[in-house]
């Protein structure tokens, strides 16, 4: 009888919740089961403004007498120049965009608001637009008294196509932009600058234009070169820049390579100097097609044998 009385009590205890735990509480997760990491939402391509890629184009009146770039003639050439710039090969793959748009955002240019069909709008209207749109960076603090220069700002975006965010393989994205800028856009800009030189003064500013100067400084640090004579340093820099462009072309042909890895200690030399400093490889360097930019193919163990200029 005593045993029979215990059976209901045991069953009742099994049905009661444990003290301090709600009958409807969620069971503790299995500590051996990893908690899934939420997938970050990808950033739309080219919708983040990258200030380090922006460039400034400065237009000026070449005449020392008039010193006035605010004419229909000047703005016609400025408008044409900017349309050609925006039509540059690859521009659409790097330009800044608005979210949800496939089109490039317009540059910050007074041409967009001050000029149409060969005519500049009336001065009163321009001054009202200047106040409303904060044209200070475009026309300078002296406007409307000083009208010898105007500036346009071109913006480029991040991340590039097939990257989830600006930080996704950031260095790889930077190398792609730099390669396009130095091999495509900068030569186009300098060519157009010369083309318009009879009618319009054009100059450029921006971080991308200092690329070779920065690379030259890194090159001298890496290989411990130093030229005390300023003229000699400039001469070597021009040789380096010429060879660096060839190395960039080689980088584009060799998947997975980059400029920093392929720099070699012969990039500041003429071909004749290169041959004299690498005479031990006479069988290779005597070939007419050989040059300093090809020396990345050389076995690094040989580099210790070569003499460098002071």
């Amino acid at each position: 009888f005593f045993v029979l009385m215990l059976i209901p009590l045991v069953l009742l205890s099994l049905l009661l919740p444990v003290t301090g735990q709600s009958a409807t509480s969620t069971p503790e997760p299995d500590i051996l089961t990893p908690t899934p990491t939420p997938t970050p939402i990808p950033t739309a391509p080219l919708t983040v403004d990258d200030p380090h890629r922006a460039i400034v184009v400065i237009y000026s009146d070449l005449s020392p007498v008039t010193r006035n770039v605010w004419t229909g003639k000047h703005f016609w050439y400025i408008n044409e120049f900017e349309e050609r710039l925006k039509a540059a090969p690859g521009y659409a793959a790097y330009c800044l965009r608005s979210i949800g748009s496939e089109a490039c955002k317009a540059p910050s240019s007074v041409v967009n608001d001050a000029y149409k069909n060969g005519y500049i709008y009336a001065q009163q209207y321009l001054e009202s637009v200047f106040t409303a749109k904060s044209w200070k960076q475009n026309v300078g603090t002296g406007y409307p008294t000083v009208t010898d220069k105007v500036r346009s700002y071109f913006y480029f975006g991040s991340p590039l196509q097939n990257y989830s965010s600006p930080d996704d393989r950031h260095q790889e994205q930077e190398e792609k932009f730099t390669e396009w800028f130095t091999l495509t856009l900068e030569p186009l800009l300098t060519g157009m600058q010369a083309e318009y030189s009879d009618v319009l003064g054009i100059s450029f500013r921006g971080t991308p234009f200092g690329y070779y100067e920065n690379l030259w400084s890194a090159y001298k640090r890496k290989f411990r070169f130093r030229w005390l004579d300023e003229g000699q340093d400039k001469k070597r820099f021009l040789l380096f820049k010429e060879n660096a462009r060839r190395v960039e072309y080689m980088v584009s042909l060799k998947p997975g390579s980059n400029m920093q890895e392929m720099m070699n200690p012969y990039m500041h030399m003429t071909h004749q100097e290169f041959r004299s400093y690498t005479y031990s490889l006479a069988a290779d360097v005597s070939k007419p097609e050989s040059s300093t930019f090809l020396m990345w193919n050389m076995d690094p163990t040989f580099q210790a044998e070569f003499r460098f200029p002071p």
Side-chain angles (χ1 to χ4, degrees), residues 3 8 50 53 76 116 120 146 174 178 191-192 223 230 237 277 305:
V3 172
D50 189 333
R53 296 177 183 174
W76 190 91
K116 188 175 183 179
I120 295 179
V146 180
E174 286 298 306
T178 299
M192 290 198 297
F223 298 109
E230 185 177 345
F237 167 68
Y277 281 106
E305 301 176 10

Side-chain angles (χ1 to χ4, degrees), residues 230-246:
E230 185 177 345
Q232 186 64 219
D233 185 89
K234 184 175 182 179
K235 174 185 174 182
R236 293 297 167 183
F237 167 68
L238 294 176
L239 288 169
F240 167 82
K241 186 175 180 179
E242 180 182 350
N243 283 321
R245 285 178 168 168
R246 292 173 176 147

